[in-house]
Amino acid sequence: MKKRIISIIICVLSGFTAMTAQTIAIWPNWCEAAVTFTFEDATGQESHQWAVERLDNYGFKATFFVVTNWNPSWDWCRSVAQNGHEIGSHSDSHPHNCDGEEASSKIHIEEKVGQPCLTMAYPNCNAPEEETAMSENYIGGRICNGSWMGILDIMGKDGPSNWYKIPCNLCGSGGYINTTNDYVSKCREAIDKNGWVVFGLFGFSGLKNGVATYAPADQNAFMGTLSWLNQNRRDCWVATFRDAIMYVKERKASYLMKKASDNYSQTWKLTHNLDKTLCNWDYPLSIEIPLPVGWTSVKVKQGDKKIDAEVKDGNVYFNAVPNGGDIVLMSGVKGDVNADGVVDVADIAVVIDVMAGKGDSTTKTAADVNDDNSVDVADIAAVIDIMAGKSRSVVMKE
């Protein structure tokens, strides 16, 4: 059986409680592998818009690398970026190598698109020998086939050995990936190693490709691959180049620690110390925590935000943002605000205290009895209803 999770071994540190059972998923939503589609020479031409529409049909997102001086449609770039796709840099002028265009192309894209430009695909696949400019401006850089440089074409769960030489698998007439079976075979390799596969594309045969005329890919092969990925969502997380980098780096750097607990609540903290000069490093991580003994249901919040959670096979599963605030798990006993095992007038008193600005984050979460993200007289009414038997609760005091 393939290993699906990374166990986090916690020691007593800075007053936190030591734990060993909680885990952070290798990939979001407990997928076995990550799959990324990248497109070079993007200008908003017919072929790339066609790809966006097919990806969006399945809710998949991709990365489009732009040469800033090749007159890309910035309206198109902004539109696809706002829709969750990534606009990355492919330099200003597509020289033989970057030629010092790392920073200038990044600035140009950010000014036009209105979002951070965090990754680059090197012109002609030529990574710079000196990586200082890359590390000062980007969280990752993409080369072409790793096998051309003695690097594996498909990465393992921890990503590449060098984040500024991330390999891809070139597709179309200039690469080795031409059919749906070719794409799927690479995806299966990634699944087998809990790894990450990146595909490198330009345009498509039979469509207007603008400047992206190199190595056109087959439309049917691409559509067949998307259909297969849709059928195998539990195994493959389809993500942008940026998001996959963020998830791996955050997962490797994060610590999940339990700060406090009682019979009715637990408070956890998910943190890392990644440098935020370039990136906020706030992509949600998928978390598994054992369901506390005696609990049959749970609700989860991080800070003031309610988080969707699933209870399955004795564990609680949810997504949380590193450094996004305390993660509070509540037993789900409606109305038992003070967590004493009964619902009575004492719980109304606690709600009133919270309305007056008193109480810690756990208490404030419990006082939101009707789950509307505020604590007010409606929550007092909800407690009264529970006491009167009008609303379901686990325990009510006569």
Side-chain angles (χ1 to χ4, degrees):
M1 179 181 295
K2 296 186 293 292
K3 186 176 180 181
R4 301 190 61 180
I5 55 179
I6 299 174
S7 295
I8 309 298
I9 302 174
I10 306 295
C11 298
V12 178
L13 179 65
S14 301
F16 289 98
T17 305
M19 291 294 295
T20 57
Q22 69 276 5
T23 54
I24 299 176
I26 292 177
W27 298 111
N29 303 317
W30 306 91
C31 288
E32 300 280 5
V35 178
T36 295
F37 294 99
T38 64
F39 295 83
E40 295 181 36
D41 306 337
T43 60
Q45 62 269 19
E46 180 186 31
S47 62
H48 288 160
Q49 178 57 29
W50 179 89
V52 166
E53 292 170 1
R54 272 70 193 166
L55 288 158
D56 284 347
N57 284 341
Y58 297 107
F60 299 150
K61 304 303 174 184
T63 296
F64 297 87
F65 292 112
V66 173
V67 179
T68 64
N69 291 346
W70 282 5
N71 298 316
S73 169
W74 293 114
D75 287 341
W76 180 86
C77 291
R78 281 190 294 272
S79 176
V80 296
Q82 290 168 0
N83 192 30
H85 299 279
E86 178 190 8
I87 300 298
S89 172
H90 197 38
S91 76
D92 285 321
S93 62
H94 206 287
H96 178 68
N97 52 38
C98 288
D99 273 351
E101 296 181 359
E102 297 93 339
S104 57
S105 60
K106 172 188 175 72
I107 293 170
H108 197 165
I109 290 170
E110 291 180 344
E111 289 177 346
K112 294 293 187 178
V113 177
Q115 293 186 11
C117 177
L118 296 176
T119 66
M120 181 180 221
Y122 304 115
N124 305 301
C125 304
N126 293 325
E129 293 184 9
E130 172 55 56
E131 295 177 353
T132 300
M134 283 298 299
S135 62
E136 289 177 346
N137 290 282
Y138 301 98
I139 63 174
R142 206 216 69 191
I143 57 174
C144 291
N145 290 58
S147 54
W148 299 354
M149 301 178 62
I151 302 171
L152 292 176
D153 288 334
I154 297 177
M155 295 160 280
K157 62 181 176 61
D158 291 334
S161 57
N162 184 338
W163 287 102
Y164 297 102
K165 292 182 179 178
I166 301 175
C168 78
N169 296 260
L170 284 184
C171 307
S173 58
Y176 305 120
I177 311 298
N178 292 288
T179 68
T180 295
N181 286 338
D182 292 338
Y183 286 99
V184 170
S185 176
K186 294 298 182 181
C187 292
R188 291 191 186 279
E189 285 186 49
I191 291 171
D192 288 341
K193 62 195 301 183
N194 287 139
W196 178 26
V197 58
V198 179
F199 294 111
L201 299 100
F202 298 86
F204 291 94
S205 299
L207 296 175
K208 295 178 181 178
N209 292 306
V211 295
T213 57
Y214 179 78
D218 183 78
Q219 296 179 49
N220 290 328
F222 183 72
M223 290 191 293
T225 303
L226 297 184
S227 177
W228 184 88
L229 287 166
N230 183 55
Q231 296 168 15
N232 291 272
R233 285 177 176 272
R234 292 187 177 181
D235 291 328
C236 295
W237 173 51
V238 181
T240 66
F241 198 56
R242 170 199 62 216
D243 290 350
I245 294 171
M246 289 181 67
Y247 191 92
V248 174
K249 287 193 174 186
E250 288 178 29
R251 185 244 296 158
K252 291 174 66 177
S254 290
Y255 293 89
L256 179 63
M257 301 178 179
K258 185 164 72 171
K259 292 175 59 177
S261 67
D262 55 37
N263 290 335
Y264 302 97
S265 68
Q266 291 187 352
T267 301
W268 295 78
K269 197 170 187 68
L270 178 65
T271 60
H272 62 58
N273 292 315
L274 291 171
D275 187 331
K276 294 185 178 181
T277 301
L278 294 176
C279 176
N280 287 330
W281 300 110
D282 54 1
Y283 197 91
L285 301 179
S286 291
I287 306 296
E288 174 195 48
I289 292 177
L291 184 69
V293 176
W295 290 25
T296 58
S297 62
V298 66
K299 60 180 181 178
V300 182
K301 283 192 175 184
Q302 183 173 29
D304 295 328
K305 183 179 179 181
K306 185 178 179 180
I307 296 175
D308 291 334
E310 179 185 14
V311 176
K312 182 180 179 182
D313 299 328
N315 296 299
V316 184
Y317 297 91
F318 57 90
N319 295 327
V321 176
N323 300 323
D326 285 350
I327 302 165
V328 180
L329 281 65
M330 302 294 297
S331 66
V333 180
K334 292 286 186 180
D336 184 16
V337 183
N338 62 0
D340 65 354
V342 296
V343 180
D344 55 17
V345 292
D347 297 295
I348 295 176
V350 176
V351 173
I352 293 172
D353 283 344
V354 171
M355 291 171 61
K358 301 177 182 178
D360 56 20
S361 61
T362 300
T363 303
K364 292 176 182 178
T365 299
D368 184 16
V369 181
N370 61 0
D371 291 325
D372 65 352
N373 292 317
S374 65
V375 179
D376 50 29
V377 293
D379 297 294
I380 295 175
V383 175
I384 294 172
D385 282 347
I386 293 171
M387 293 172 60
K390 296 179 181 179
S391 181
R392 183 171 175 266
S393 182
V394 175
V395 182
M396 289 188 292
K397 187 173 182 178
E398 299 294 337

